[in-house]
Amino acid sequence: MKPKKEGKGAMARCDQCGNDYDKTFEVKVAEETYTFDSFECAIQKLAPTCPHCGCRIIGHGVEQDDIIYCCAHCAAEEGASALTDRAP
């Protein structure tokens, strides 16, 4: 993380895109703190990627055997058999 600048008009740099912006926000994950200028940058930097379709998982997703997928369909395509999108 880049340190925030002090004083009036101070701007911090986004850890994803490098933009200097006066309305950044921080996200702490475990012991690491990141600075972002948008939720889009936070998602690109931090959200896991589905191993089947490659999309960013910005919701809960589904998980089997410590692998997280965006949905039960993608999980099934990768061989995970214990997940469903709907209750029986």
Side-chain angles (χ1 to χ4, degrees):
M1 182 185 99
K2 288 91 182 154
K4 288 191 174 190
K5 299 174 186 173
E6 301 288 328
K8 186 177 180 179
M11 294 190 289
R13 185 176 304 262
C14 177
D15 287 331
Q16 176 64 23
C17 70
N19 184 35
D20 286 324
Y21 190 56
D22 65 339
K23 295 173 182 68
T24 58
F25 60 94
E26 292 182 344
V27 176
K28 185 174 182 178
V29 178
E31 297 301 316
E32 195 81 30
T33 302
Y34 300 92
T35 301
F36 298 107
D37 66 347
S38 67
F39 287 115
E40 180 181 8
C41 283
I43 289 167
Q44 287 300 314
K45 181 86 170 176
L46 301 176
T49 303
C50 178
H52 180 71
C53 71
C55 75
R56 294 286 178 179
I57 303 166
I58 58 173
H60 291 286
V62 295
E63 187 174 347
Q64 183 175 321
D65 300 326
D66 294 327
I67 300 171
I68 189 168
Y69 304 92
C70 67
C71 65
H73 169 78
C74 283
E77 291 291 312
E78 292 292 310
S81 59
L83 303 167
T84 60
D85 278 326
R86 298 175 189 248

Coordinates of all heavy atoms in Angstrom, one line a residue:
M1 N 0.8 -1.2 0.0 CA 0.0 0.0 0.0 C 0.9 1.2 0.0 O 1.9 1.3 0.7 CB -0.9 0.0 1.2 CG -1.8 1.2 1.3 SD -2.8 1.2 2.8 CE -1.8 2.4 3.7
K2 N 0.5 2.2 -0.8 CA 1.2 3.5 -0.8 C 0.7 4.4 0.3 O -0.5 4.4 0.6 CB 1.0 4.2 -2.1 CG 1.7 3.6 -3.3 CD 0.8 2.6 -3.9 CE 1.5 1.9 -5.0 NZ 0.9 0.6 -5.3
P3 N 1.5 5.1 1.0 CA 1.0 5.9 2.1 C 0.2 7.1 1.6 O 0.5 7.6 0.5 CB 2.3 6.4 2.8 CG 3.4 6.2 1.8 CD 3.0 5.1 0.9
K4 N -0.8 7.5 2.4 CA -1.6 8.6 2.0 C -0.8 9.9 2.2 O 0.0 10.0 3.1 CB -2.9 8.7 2.9 CG -3.9 7.6 2.5 CD -5.2 7.8 3.2 CE -6.2 6.8 2.7 NZ -7.5 7.1 3.0
K5 N -1.1 10.8 1.3 CA -0.4 12.1 1.5 C -1.2 13.0 2.5 O -2.4 12.8 2.7 CB -0.4 12.8 0.1 CG 0.4 12.0 -0.9 CD 0.3 12.7 -2.3 CE 0.9 11.8 -3.3 NZ 0.7 12.3 -4.7
E6 N -0.5 13.8 3.2 CA -1.1 14.7 4.2 C -1.5 16.0 3.7 O -1.0 16.5 2.7 CB -0.1 14.9 5.4 CG 0.4 13.6 6.0 CD -0.7 12.9 6.8 OE1 -1.5 13.6 7.4 OE2 -0.7 11.7 6.9
G7 N -2.4 16.7 4.3 CA -2.8 18.1 4.0 C -3.9 18.3 3.1 O -4.5 17.3 2.6
K8 N -4.3 19.5 2.9 CA -5.5 19.9 2.0 C -5.2 19.4 0.6 O -4.1 19.7 0.1 CB -5.7 21.4 2.1 CG -7.0 21.8 1.4 CD -7.3 23.2 1.5 CE -8.5 23.5 0.7 NZ -8.9 24.9 0.8
G9 N -6.2 18.8 0.0 CA -6.1 18.4 -1.4 C -5.2 17.1 -1.5 O -4.9 16.7 -2.6
A10 N -4.9 16.5 -0.4 CA -4.1 15.3 -0.4 C -4.8 14.2 -1.1 O -6.1 14.0 -1.0 CB -3.7 14.9 1.0
M11 N -4.1 13.4 -1.9 CA -4.7 12.3 -2.6 C -3.9 11.0 -2.4 O -2.7 11.1 -2.1 CB -4.7 12.6 -4.1 CG -5.7 13.7 -4.5 SD -5.9 13.9 -6.2 CE -4.3 14.5 -6.8
A12 N -4.6 9.9 -2.4 CA -4.0 8.6 -2.2 C -4.0 7.9 -3.6 O -4.9 8.2 -4.4 CB -4.7 7.8 -1.2
R13 N -3.1 7.0 -3.8 CA -3.0 6.2 -5.0 C -3.7 4.9 -4.9 O -3.5 4.2 -3.9 CB -1.5 6.0 -5.4 CG -1.3 5.4 -6.7 CD 0.2 5.3 -7.0 NE 0.8 6.6 -7.0 CZ 1.0 7.4 -8.0 NH1 0.7 7.0 -9.2 NH2 1.6 8.6 -7.9
C14 N -4.5 4.6 -5.9 CA -5.2 3.3 -6.0 C -4.2 2.2 -6.2 O -3.4 2.2 -7.1 CB -6.2 3.3 -7.1 SG -7.1 1.7 -7.3
D15 N -4.3 1.1 -5.4 CA -3.4 0.0 -5.5 C -3.6 -0.9 -6.7 O -2.8 -1.7 -7.1 CB -3.5 -0.9 -4.2 CG -2.9 -0.3 -3.0 OD1 -1.9 0.5 -3.2 OD2 -3.3 -0.6 -1.9
Q16 N -4.8 -0.7 -7.4 CA -5.0 -1.5 -8.6 C -4.6 -0.7 -9.9 O -3.9 -1.2 -10.7 CB -6.5 -1.9 -8.7 CG -6.9 -2.6 -9.9 CD -6.3 -3.9 -10.1 OE1 -5.8 -4.6 -9.1 NE2 -6.2 -4.4 -11.3
C17 N -5.2 0.5 -10.0 CA -4.9 1.2 -11.3 C -3.9 2.3 -11.2 O -3.5 2.9 -12.2 CB -6.3 1.8 -11.8 SG -6.9 3.1 -10.8
G18 N -3.5 2.7 -10.0 CA -2.5 3.7 -9.8 C -3.0 5.2 -9.9 O -2.3 6.1 -9.8
N19 N -4.4 5.3 -10.0 CA -5.0 6.6 -10.0 C -4.8 7.4 -8.7 O -5.0 6.8 -7.6 CB -6.5 6.5 -10.3 CG -7.2 7.8 -10.5 OD1 -6.6 8.8 -11.0 ND2 -8.4 7.9 -10.1
D20 N -4.4 8.7 -8.8 CA -4.4 9.5 -7.6 C -5.8 10.1 -7.4 O -6.3 10.7 -8.4 CB -3.4 10.7 -7.8 CG -2.0 10.2 -7.6 OD1 -1.7 9.3 -6.8 OD2 -1.1 10.7 -8.3
Y21 N -6.4 9.9 -6.2 CA -7.8 10.3 -6.1 C -8.0 10.8 -4.6 O -7.5 10.2 -3.7 CB -8.7 9.1 -6.4 CG -10.1 9.4 -6.5 CD1 -10.6 10.3 -7.4 CD2 -11.0 8.6 -5.7 CE1 -12.0 10.5 -7.5 CE2 -12.4 8.8 -5.9 CZ -12.9 9.8 -6.7 OH -14.2 10.0 -6.8
D22 N -8.8 11.8 -4.5 CA -9.0 12.4 -3.1 C -10.2 11.7 -2.4 O -10.4 12.0 -1.2 CB -9.3 13.9 -3.2 CG -10.6 14.2 -3.9 OD1 -11.1 13.4 -4.7 OD2 -11.1 15.3 -3.7
K23 N -10.8 10.7 -3.0 CA -11.9 10.0 -2.3 C -11.7 8.5 -2.2 O -12.6 7.7 -2.4 CB -13.2 10.3 -3.0 CG -13.7 11.8 -2.9 CD -14.9 12.1 -3.7 CE -15.2 13.5 -3.6 NZ -14.3 14.4 -4.2
T24 N -10.5 8.1 -2.0 CA -10.1 6.7 -1.9 C -10.7 6.1 -0.6 O -11.1 6.8 0.3 CB -8.6 6.4 -1.9 OG1 -8.0 7.1 -0.8 CG2 -8.0 6.9 -3.2
F25 N -10.7 4.7 -0.6 CA -11.1 4.0 0.6 C -10.2 2.8 0.8 O -9.5 2.4 -0.2 CB -12.6 3.5 0.5 CG -12.9 2.6 -0.6 CD1 -12.8 1.2 -0.5 CD2 -13.2 3.1 -1.9 CE1 -13.0 0.4 -1.6 CE2 -13.4 2.3 -3.0 CZ -13.4 0.9 -2.8
E26 N -10.1 2.3 2.0 CA -9.2 1.2 2.3 C -10.0 -0.1 2.6 O -11.1 0.0 3.1 CB -8.4 1.6 3.5 CG -7.4 2.7 3.2 CD -6.5 3.0 4.4 OE1 -6.8 2.5 5.5 OE2 -5.5 3.6 4.2
V27 N -9.4 -1.2 2.2 CA -10.0 -2.5 2.5 C -8.9 -3.3 3.2 O -7.8 -3.4 2.6 CB -10.5 -3.2 1.2 CG1 -10.9 -4.6 1.5 CG2 -11.6 -2.4 0.5
K28 N -9.2 -3.9 4.3 CA -8.2 -4.7 5.0 C -8.6 -6.2 4.9 O -9.7 -6.6 5.1 CB -8.2 -4.3 6.5 CG -7.1 -5.1 7.3 CD -7.0 -4.6 8.7 CE -5.9 -5.3 9.4 NZ -5.7 -4.9 10.8
V29 N -7.7 -6.9 4.4 CA -7.8 -8.4 4.2 C -6.7 -9.1 5.0 O -5.5 -8.9 4.7 CB -7.8 -8.8 2.7 CG1 -7.9 -10.3 2.6 CG2 -8.8 -8.0 1.9
A30 N -7.1 -9.8 6.0 CA -6.1 -10.4 6.9 C -5.3 -9.3 7.5 O -5.9 -8.4 8.1 CB -5.3 -11.5 6.2
E31 N -4.0 -9.3 7.3 CA -3.2 -8.2 7.9 C -2.7 -7.2 6.8 O -2.0 -6.3 7.1 CB -1.9 -8.9 8.5 CG -2.2 -9.7 9.7 CD -2.9 -9.0 10.8 OE1 -2.5 -7.9 11.1 OE2 -3.9 -9.6 11.3
E32 N -3.3 -7.4 5.6 CA -2.9 -6.5 4.5 C -4.0 -5.4 4.3 O -5.2 -5.7 4.3 CB -2.8 -7.3 3.2 CG -2.1 -6.7 2.0 CD -0.6 -6.7 2.1 OE1 -0.1 -7.7 2.7 OE2 0.0 -5.8 1.6
T33 N -3.6 -4.2 4.1 CA -4.5 -3.1 3.8 C -4.3 -2.5 2.4 O -3.1 -2.3 2.0 CB -4.3 -1.9 4.8 OG1 -4.6 -2.5 6.2 CG2 -5.3 -0.8 4.6
Y34 N -5.3 -2.4 1.6 CA -5.3 -1.9 0.3 C -6.0 -0.6 0.2 O -7.0 -0.4 0.9 CB -5.9 -2.9 -0.7 CG -5.2 -4.3 -0.7 CD1 -5.7 -5.3 0.2 CD2 -4.2 -4.5 -1.5 CE1 -5.1 -6.5 0.2 CE2 -3.5 -5.8 -1.5 CZ -4.0 -6.7 -0.7 OH -3.4 -8.0 -0.7
T35 N -5.6 0.3 -0.8 CA -6.3 1.5 -1.0 C -6.9 1.5 -2.5 O -6.2 1.1 -3.4 CB -5.3 2.7 -0.9 OG1 -4.8 2.7 0.4 CG2 -6.0 4.0 -1.2
F36 N -8.1 1.9 -2.6 CA -8.8 1.8 -3.9 C -9.5 3.1 -4.2 O -10.0 3.8 -3.3 CB -9.8 0.7 -4.0 CG -9.2 -0.7 -3.8 CD1 -9.3 -1.4 -2.6 CD2 -8.4 -1.2 -4.8 CE1 -8.7 -2.6 -2.5 CE2 -7.8 -2.5 -4.7 CZ -8.0 -3.2 -3.5
D37 N -9.7 3.4 -5.5 CA -10.5 4.6 -5.9 C -11.9 4.2 -6.3 O -12.7 5.1 -6.6 CB -9.8 5.4 -7.0 CG -9.6 4.6 -8.3 OD1 -9.9 3.4 -8.3 OD2 -9.3 5.3 -9.3
S38 N -12.2 2.9 -6.5 CA -13.5 2.5 -6.9 C -13.7 1.0 -6.4 O -12.8 0.3 -6.2 CB -13.7 2.6 -8.4 OG -12.8 1.6 -9.0
F39 N -15.0 0.6 -6.4 CA -15.3 -0.8 -6.1 C -14.8 -1.7 -7.2 O -14.4 -2.8 -7.0 CB -16.8 -1.0 -5.8 CG -17.3 -0.4 -4.5 CD1 -18.1 0.6 -4.5 CD2 -16.8 -0.9 -3.3 CE1 -18.6 1.2 -3.3 CE2 -17.2 -0.4 -2.1 CZ -18.1 0.6 -2.1
E40 N -14.9 -1.2 -8.4 CA -14.4 -1.9 -9.6 C -12.9 -2.3 -9.4 O -12.6 -3.5 -9.6 CB -14.5 -1.1 -10.9 CG -14.1 -1.9 -12.1 CD -14.2 -1.1 -13.4 OE1 -14.5 0.1 -13.3 OE2 -14.0 -1.7 -14.4
C41 N -12.1 -1.4 -9.0 CA -10.7 -1.7 -8.7 C -10.5 -2.7 -7.6 O -9.7 -3.6 -7.6 CB -9.9 -0.5 -8.5 SG -9.5 0.5 -10.0
A42 N -11.3 -2.6 -6.5 CA -11.2 -3.5 -5.4 C -11.6 -4.9 -5.8 O -10.9 -5.9 -5.5 CB -12.2 -3.0 -4.3
I43 N -12.6 -5.0 -6.6 CA -13.1 -6.3 -7.1 C -12.0 -6.9 -8.0 O -11.6 -8.1 -7.8 CB -14.4 -6.2 -7.9 CG1 -15.5 -5.9 -7.0 CG2 -14.6 -7.5 -8.8 CD1 -16.8 -5.5 -7.7
Q44 N -11.4 -6.2 -8.9 CA -10.3 -6.7 -9.8 C -9.1 -7.2 -9.0 O -8.5 -8.2 -9.3 CB -9.9 -5.7 -10.8 CG -10.9 -5.4 -11.9 CD -11.2 -6.7 -12.7 OE1 -10.3 -7.4 -13.1 NE2 -12.5 -7.0 -12.9
K45 N -8.8 -6.5 -7.9 CA -7.6 -6.8 -7.1 C -7.9 -8.0 -6.1 O -7.0 -8.8 -5.9 CB -7.2 -5.6 -6.3 CG -6.0 -5.8 -5.5 CD -4.7 -5.6 -6.2 CE -3.5 -5.5 -5.3 NZ -2.3 -5.4 -6.1
L46 N -9.1 -8.0 -5.5 CA -9.3 -8.9 -4.4 C -10.3 -10.1 -4.7 O -10.2 -11.1 -4.0 CB -9.8 -8.1 -3.2 CG -8.9 -7.0 -2.7 CD1 -9.6 -6.2 -1.6 CD2 -7.6 -7.6 -2.3
A47 N -11.2 -10.0 -5.6 CA -12.2 -11.0 -5.7 C -11.6 -12.2 -6.4 O -10.8 -12.1 -7.4 CB -13.4 -10.5 -6.6
P48 N -11.9 -13.4 -5.9 CA -11.4 -14.7 -6.5 C -12.0 -14.8 -7.9 O -13.1 -14.2 -8.3 CB -11.9 -15.8 -5.6 CG -13.1 -15.2 -4.9 CD -12.8 -13.7 -4.8
T49 N -11.4 -15.6 -8.7 CA -11.8 -15.9 -10.1 C -12.3 -17.3 -10.2 O -11.7 -18.3 -9.7 CB -10.6 -15.7 -11.1 OG1 -10.1 -14.4 -10.9 CG2 -11.0 -15.9 -12.5
C50 N -13.5 -17.5 -10.8 CA -14.0 -18.9 -11.0 C -13.1 -19.7 -11.9 O -12.7 -19.2 -13.0 CB -15.4 -18.8 -11.7 SG -16.2 -20.4 -12.0
P51 N -12.7 -20.9 -11.4 CA -11.7 -21.7 -12.2 C -12.3 -22.2 -13.5 O -11.6 -22.6 -14.4 CB -11.3 -22.8 -11.3 CG -12.5 -22.9 -10.3 CD -13.0 -21.5 -10.2
H52 N -13.7 -22.2 -13.6 CA -14.3 -22.7 -14.9 C -14.5 -21.6 -15.9 O -14.0 -21.7 -17.0 CB -15.6 -23.4 -14.6 CG -16.2 -23.9 -15.8 ND1 -15.7 -25.0 -16.5 CD2 -17.3 -23.5 -16.6 CE1 -16.5 -25.3 -17.6 NE2 -17.4 -24.3 -17.6
C53 N -15.2 -20.5 -15.5 CA -15.5 -19.5 -16.5 C -14.6 -18.3 -16.5 O -14.7 -17.5 -17.4 CB -17.0 -19.1 -16.4 SG -17.4 -18.2 -14.9
G54 N -13.9 -18.1 -15.4 CA -13.0 -17.0 -15.3 C -13.6 -15.7 -14.8 O -12.9 -14.7 -14.7
C55 N -14.9 -15.7 -14.5 CA -15.5 -14.4 -14.0 C -15.0 -14.2 -12.5 O -14.7 -15.1 -11.8 CB -17.0 -14.5 -14.1 SG -17.9 -15.5 -12.9
R56 N -15.1 -12.9 -12.1 CA -14.8 -12.5 -10.8 C -16.0 -12.9 -9.9 O -17.1 -12.7 -10.2 CB -14.5 -11.1 -10.6 CG -13.3 -10.6 -11.3 CD -12.1 -11.0 -10.6 NE -10.9 -10.6 -11.3 CZ -9.7 -10.9 -10.9 NH1 -9.5 -11.5 -9.7 NH2 -8.6 -10.5 -11.6
I57 N -15.7 -13.5 -8.7 CA -16.8 -13.9 -7.8 C -17.0 -12.8 -6.8 O -16.2 -12.6 -5.9 CB -16.4 -15.2 -7.1 CG1 -16.2 -16.3 -8.2 CG2 -17.5 -15.7 -6.2 CD1 -15.5 -17.6 -7.7
I58 N -18.1 -12.0 -7.0 CA -18.3 -10.9 -6.1 C -19.4 -11.1 -5.1 O -19.6 -10.3 -4.3 CB -18.6 -9.6 -6.9 CG1 -19.8 -9.7 -7.8 CG2 -17.3 -9.2 -7.7 CD1 -20.2 -8.5 -8.5
G59 N -20.0 -12.3 -5.2 CA -21.0 -12.7 -4.2 C -20.4 -13.8 -3.3 O -19.2 -13.9 -3.3
H60 N -21.3 -14.6 -2.8 CA -20.8 -15.7 -1.9 C -20.1 -16.8 -2.7 O -19.2 -17.5 -2.3 CB -21.9 -16.2 -1.1 CG -22.4 -15.3 0.0 ND1 -21.7 -15.0 1.1 CD2 -23.5 -14.5 0.1 CE1 -22.3 -14.1 1.8 NE2 -23.4 -13.8 1.2
G61 N -20.7 -17.0 -3.9 CA -20.2 -18.2 -4.7 C -20.5 -19.5 -4.0 O -21.3 -19.5 -3.1
V62 N -20.0 -20.5 -4.6 CA -20.2 -21.9 -4.0 C -18.8 -22.5 -3.8 O -17.9 -22.2 -4.6 CB -21.2 -22.8 -4.8 CG1 -22.6 -22.2 -4.8 CG2 -20.7 -22.9 -6.2
E63 N -18.7 -23.4 -2.8 CA -17.4 -23.9 -2.5 C -17.5 -25.4 -2.3 O -18.4 -25.9 -1.6 CB -16.8 -23.2 -1.3 CG -15.4 -23.5 -1.0 CD -14.9 -22.6 0.1 OE1 -15.5 -21.6 0.5 OE2 -13.8 -23.0 0.7
Q64 N -16.5 -26.1 -2.9 CA -16.3 -27.6 -2.5 C -14.9 -27.9 -2.6 O -14.1 -27.4 -3.5 CB -17.1 -28.4 -3.6 CG -17.0 -29.9 -3.2 CD -17.8 -30.8 -4.2 OE1 -18.9 -30.4 -4.5 NE2 -17.2 -31.9 -4.5
D65 N -14.4 -28.6 -1.6 CA -13.0 -29.0 -1.5 C -12.1 -27.8 -1.5 O -11.0 -27.8 -2.2 CB -12.6 -30.0 -2.6 CG -13.4 -31.3 -2.5 OD1 -13.8 -31.7 -1.4 OD2 -13.8 -31.9 -3.5
D66 N -12.4 -26.7 -0.8 CA -11.6 -25.5 -0.8 C -11.5 -24.8 -2.1 O -10.5 -23.9 -2.3 CB -10.3 -25.8 -0.1 CG -10.4 -26.2 1.3 OD1 -11.3 -25.7 2.0 OD2 -9.5 -27.0 1.8
I67 N -12.3 -25.1 -3.1 CA -12.3 -24.4 -4.4 C -13.6 -23.6 -4.5 O -14.7 -24.2 -4.3 CB -12.1 -25.4 -5.6 CG1 -10.8 -26.2 -5.4 CG2 -12.2 -24.6 -6.9 CD1 -10.7 -27.3 -6.4
I68 N -13.5 -22.3 -4.8 CA -14.7 -21.5 -4.9 C -15.1 -21.3 -6.3 O -14.2 -21.0 -7.2 CB -14.6 -20.2 -4.1 CG1 -15.9 -19.4 -4.0 CG2 -13.5 -19.3 -4.7 CD1 -15.9 -18.3 -3.1
Y69 N -16.3 -21.4 -6.7 CA -16.9 -21.3 -8.0 C -17.9 -20.2 -8.0 O -18.5 -19.9 -6.9 CB -17.5 -22.6 -8.5 CG -16.6 -23.8 -8.5 CD1 -16.6 -24.6 -7.3 CD2 -15.8 -24.1 -9.5 CE1 -15.8 -25.7 -7.3 CE2 -15.0 -25.2 -9.5 CZ -14.9 -26.0 -8.4 OH -14.1 -27.1 -8.3
C70 N -18.2 -19.6 -9.1 CA -19.3 -18.5 -9.2 C -20.7 -19.1 -9.0 O -21.6 -18.5 -8.5 CB -19.2 -17.7 -10.4 SG -19.5 -18.6 -12.0
C71 N -20.9 -20.4 -9.4 CA -22.2 -21.0 -9.4 C -22.1 -22.5 -9.4 O -21.0 -23.1 -9.7 CB -23.1 -20.6 -10.5 SG -22.5 -21.1 -12.2
A72 N -23.1 -23.2 -9.1 CA -23.1 -24.7 -9.1 C -22.9 -25.3 -10.5 O -22.3 -26.3 -10.6 CB -24.4 -25.2 -8.5
H73 N -23.4 -24.6 -11.5 CA -23.1 -25.1 -12.9 C -21.6 -25.2 -13.2 O -21.2 -26.2 -13.6 CB -23.8 -24.2 -13.9 CG -23.4 -24.4 -15.3 ND1 -23.9 -25.5 -16.0 CD2 -22.5 -23.8 -16.1 CE1 -23.3 -25.5 -17.2 NE2 -22.5 -24.5 -17.3
C74 N -20.9 -24.1 -12.9 CA -19.5 -24.1 -13.1 C -18.8 -25.1 -12.3 O -17.9 -25.8 -12.7 CB -18.9 -22.7 -12.9 SG -19.2 -21.6 -14.2
A75 N -19.2 -25.3 -11.0 CA -18.6 -26.3 -10.1 C -18.8 -27.7 -10.7 O -17.9 -28.5 -10.8 CB -19.3 -26.2 -8.7
A76 N -20.0 -28.0 -11.2 CA -20.3 -29.3 -11.8 C -19.5 -29.5 -13.1 O -19.0 -30.6 -13.3 CB -21.8 -29.4 -12.2
E77 N -19.3 -28.5 -13.9 CA -18.5 -28.6 -15.1 C -17.0 -28.9 -14.7 O -16.3 -29.5 -15.5 CB -18.5 -27.3 -15.9 CG -19.9 -27.0 -16.5 CD -20.2 -28.0 -17.7 OE1 -19.3 -28.3 -18.5 OE2 -21.3 -28.6 -17.7
E78 N -16.6 -28.5 -13.5 CA -15.2 -28.8 -13.1 C -15.1 -30.1 -12.2 O -14.1 -30.5 -11.7 CB -14.7 -27.7 -12.2 CG -14.5 -26.4 -13.0 CD -13.3 -26.5 -14.0 OE1 -12.2 -27.0 -13.7 OE2 -13.6 -26.2 -15.2
G79 N -16.3 -30.8 -12.1 CA -16.3 -32.1 -11.4 C -16.8 -32.1 -10.0 O -16.8 -33.2 -9.4
A80 N -17.1 -31.0 -9.5 CA -17.7 -30.9 -8.1 C -19.1 -31.4 -8.2 O -19.9 -30.9 -9.0 CB -17.7 -29.5 -7.6
S81 N -19.5 -32.4 -7.4 CA -20.8 -33.0 -7.5 C -21.7 -32.8 -6.3 O -22.9 -33.2 -6.4 CB -20.6 -34.5 -7.7 OG -19.9 -35.0 -6.6
A82 N -21.3 -32.1 -5.3 CA -22.1 -31.9 -4.1 C -22.9 -30.6 -4.1 O -23.6 -30.3 -3.1 CB -21.2 -32.0 -2.9
L83 N -22.8 -29.8 -5.1 CA -23.4 -28.5 -5.1 C -24.6 -28.4 -6.0 O -24.6 -28.9 -7.1 CB -22.4 -27.4 -5.5 CG -21.1 -27.4 -4.6 CD1 -20.0 -26.6 -5.2 CD2 -21.4 -26.9 -3.2
T84 N -25.6 -27.6 -5.6 CA -26.8 -27.3 -6.5 C -27.1 -25.9 -6.4 O -26.9 -25.2 -5.3 CB -28.0 -28.2 -6.1 OG1 -28.4 -27.9 -4.8 CG2 -27.7 -29.7 -6.2
D85 N -27.8 -25.3 -7.4 CA -28.2 -23.9 -7.4 C -29.5 -23.8 -6.6 O -29.9 -22.7 -6.2 CB -28.4 -23.4 -8.8 CG -27.1 -23.0 -9.4 OD1 -26.2 -22.5 -8.7 OD2 -26.9 -23.1 -10.6
R86 N -30.3 -24.8 -6.5 CA -31.6 -24.8 -5.8 C -31.7 -25.9 -4.9 O -31.2 -27.0 -5.1 CB -32.7 -24.8 -6.8 CG -32.7 -23.6 -7.8 CD -33.8 -23.8 -8.8 NE -33.7 -22.8 -9.8 CZ -34.5 -21.8 -10.0 NH1 -35.6 -21.7 -9.3 NH2 -34.3 -21.0 -11.0
A87 N -32.5 -25.7 -3.8 CA -32.8 -26.8 -2.9 C -33.7 -27.8 -3.5 O -34.5 -27.4 -4.3 CB -33.4 -26.2 -1.6
P88 N -33.5 -29.1 -3.2 CA -34.4 -30.1 -3.9 C -35.9 -30.0 -3.5 O -36.2 -29.4 -2.5 CB -33.8 -31.5 -3.4 CG -32.8 -31.1 -2.3 CD -32.6 -29.7 -2.3

